[in-house]
Amino acid sequence: LITRKSNYFASGPAHLPDFVLNEASKALFNFKDTGLSIVEITHRSHDIETVVNESKNLLREILHIPQQFEILFMAGGASFAFANIPLNLTGRIGYAITGRWSKLAYNEALRVNPKHIQLCDTEAIGYSELPKVDELDLSQVDFFHYASNETVHGIQFKQAPEVPVPLICDMSSDITTTAIQWEKYGIVYAGCAKNLGISGMHVVIIKKDLLATTHTVPNIYSLRELAHSNCLYNTPPIFQIYTTYLMLQWLKANGGLPYFSQKSQQQAELLYSIIDANPKLYLTKVKPQYRSNINIVFDLPSPELVINFLAEAETHNLYGLKGHKIMGGIRASLYNSITLEQVGELANFLQHFAQKYS
Ligand code: PMP
């Protein structure tokens, strides 16, 4: 195996395990000794159908997805999903806006149909707290849409909201890091570029009875048609699907949900403990109980210190730590392929920087 520089904490596209990249490279040149690249083989072949089916089976196994749910691999990222889902669903969706991605999802839903509703927007408090969902007026809505983890603001629902309507959730940045209470959901969707492979594809996990009631839309947008064709309505993003398949194999071989959910909590606790021990240097906005286990977002007292932090981090082989452009500051994204050892290296650097600048 070729080894690479791997302390890469970017928010997505995420660092990928060497196993995934090595296997994907081999398949790109010669898939399973067929003498053809995986991207050259027709999607009407047994080989490609097997990749699709095995990927679905692995995802079902890892996330304990009940049989009442259909698994769909669809071209386009999560941004495609949050525009396309309101196009397909007949009901009215209520949106809890808790950061950048849920806001964008609501804006796109409004373009599809002005009937969709904003239930709350916590922007006025800087997205520092989650809403109390039992205080929201859900009398007009058929679904409750939320983003379980807001990748930009670093705020996360640690449990599914308790509401009387089915949930629709954007899990792009925390899927495979927590168990999902499927009985509460109508749809879970996620872009693949963080914990499920590479960009350009998303996964929609949708209750089959909802599929039956979807709008008739052009086939290329249709979740129903995608389900009927087993994700092979047209030439699919097969390299993306194959990368997801490899990622799922890797997740399973390395401990699956039990390991990755425990690891996610452990690594976040380690970094927040150092942040909290240095409150004058490492500045956080989100209230501790809502802080994301995935995207550790903090600022420093001056823009110069941010520049120093990023430059010094690179001298310690730590990359991808710059905050989102609307936030500034620092963001460390801890997706599945980042190891506990690598988080340990980042923790040592946070300690070292605090000793130097406090
Ligand atoms: N939702 C969330 C929570 C995200 O983090 C992102 C990407 N960072 C998106 C949606 C958009 O994903 P994509 O770029 O794949 O469309």
Side-chain angles (χ1 to χ4, degrees):
L1 287 184
I2 306 157
T3 50
R4 304 180 305 126
K5 203 182 280 169
S6 52
N7 295 341
Y8 185 55
F9 298 91
S11 62
H15 171 68
L16 288 168
D18 285 352
F19 165 78
V20 173
L21 290 179
N22 278 302
E23 292 301 312
S25 311
K26 283 188 220 156
L28 198 53
F29 195 68
N30 181 7
F31 178 64
K32 281 193 179 168
D33 290 330
T34 52
L36 291 170
S37 165
I38 183 141
V39 297
E40 293 171 331
I41 299 173
T42 170
H43 56 295
R44 303 297 167 210
S45 64
H46 176 69
D47 277 339
I48 297 301
E49 202 169 1
T50 305
V51 170
V52 170
N53 288 337
E54 289 188 3
S55 308
K56 285 166 68 170
N57 292 344
L58 268 175
L59 189 63
R60 195 177 289 284
E61 182 186 337
I62 292 170
L63 292 180
H64 308 294
I65 302 171
Q67 287 302 328
Q68 308 90 285
F69 285 80
E70 185 65 57
I71 299 169
L72 303 173
F73 299 123
M74 199 162 199
S79 308
F80 186 93
F82 59 60
N84 194 43
I85 286 168
L87 203 62
N88 277 265
L89 286 188
T90 48
R92 175 177 284 169
I93 311 173
Y95 285 79
I97 299 177
T98 60
R100 179 181 171 84
W101 292 109
S102 45
K103 188 163 201 128
L104 285 173
Y106 172 62
N107 288 343
E108 290 298 273
L110 276 191
R111 285 170 184 265
V112 173
N113 194 325
K115 73 178 177 181
H116 299 299
I117 293 179
Q118 173 182 310
L119 298 168
C120 62
D121 184 345
T122 49
E123 186 173 14
I125 53 165
Y127 297 121
S128 58
E129 286 183 46
L130 291 177
K132 293 188 178 61
V133 292
D134 52 350
E135 292 174 6
L136 302 175
D137 177 7
L138 302 178
S139 58
Q140 304 295 312
V141 304
D142 303 300
F143 300 97
F144 180 98
H145 179 286
Y146 73 110
S148 49
N149 183 64
E150 282 286 357
T151 320
V152 171
H153 293 90
I155 186 162
Q156 185 180 25
F157 284 82
K158 302 279 165 46
Q159 266 113 31
E162 291 289 345
V163 292
V165 292
L167 300 170
I168 301 177
C169 184
D170 177 353
M171 286 196 192
S172 295
S173 48
D174 63 357
I175 195 160
T176 71
T177 67
T178 49
I180 301 172
Q181 290 174 281
W182 288 103
E183 67 282 5
K184 297 192 171 150
Y185 289 87
I187 301 179
V188 166
Y189 66 91
C192 291
K194 303 177 203 304
N195 281 328
L196 287 179
I198 59 173
S199 65
M201 188 176 89
H202 65 279
V203 175
V204 179
I205 307 163
I206 178 167
K207 253 189 136 171
K208 288 177 184 164
D209 58 2
L210 277 180
L211 272 180
T213 62
T214 48
H215 278 302
T216 298
V217 293
N219 280 342
I220 194 71
Y221 301 122
S222 168
L223 298 175
R224 206 186 327 153
E225 185 55 40
L226 200 62
H228 280 156
S229 61
N230 193 26
C231 305
L232 295 168
Y233 165 70
N234 70 330
T235 319
I238 191 57
F239 192 63
Q240 273 81 350
I241 297 176
Y242 190 63
T243 314
T244 296
Y245 171 60
L246 294 172
M247 199 64 196
L248 292 168
Q249 279 189 336
W250 179 86
L251 282 171
K252 185 179 168 183
N254 285 280
L257 202 53
Y259 174 71
F260 286 99
S261 53
Q262 182 273 332
K263 169 181 167 285
S264 175
Q265 213 164 317
Q266 186 182 338
Q267 58 201 12
E269 277 167 15
L270 172 63
L271 296 188
Y272 286 127
S273 71
I274 300 167
I275 287 170
D276 288 341
N278 297 280
K280 291 200 177 127
L281 182 67
Y282 297 135
L283 314 172
T284 58
K285 244 192 208 161
V286 178
K287 294 260 163 9
Q289 68 267 42
Y290 305 122
R291 283 168 170 172
S292 169
N293 286 342
I294 313 296
N295 309 98
I296 315 296
V297 173
F298 58 94
D299 209 346
L300 294 161
S302 71
E304 293 72 37
L305 272 178
V306 172
I307 292 168
N308 289 353
F309 182 98
L310 293 171
E312 288 192 31
E314 293 207 356
T315 67
H316 287 72
N317 278 327
L318 302 165
Y319 300 92
L321 289 162
K322 195 168 178 202
H324 189 275
K325 61 179 185 295
I326 64 167
M327 300 289 283
I330 308 295
R331 171 171 54 171
S333 298
L334 312 177
Y335 300 120
N336 288 342
S337 60
I338 297 285
T339 64
L340 285 174
E341 290 70 30
Q342 289 167 337
V343 179
E345 285 182 45
L346 177 58
N348 289 342
F349 175 69
L350 285 177
Q351 297 272 31
H352 160 83
F353 193 83
Q355 272 158 15
K356 193 164 162 190
Y357 289 97
S358 289

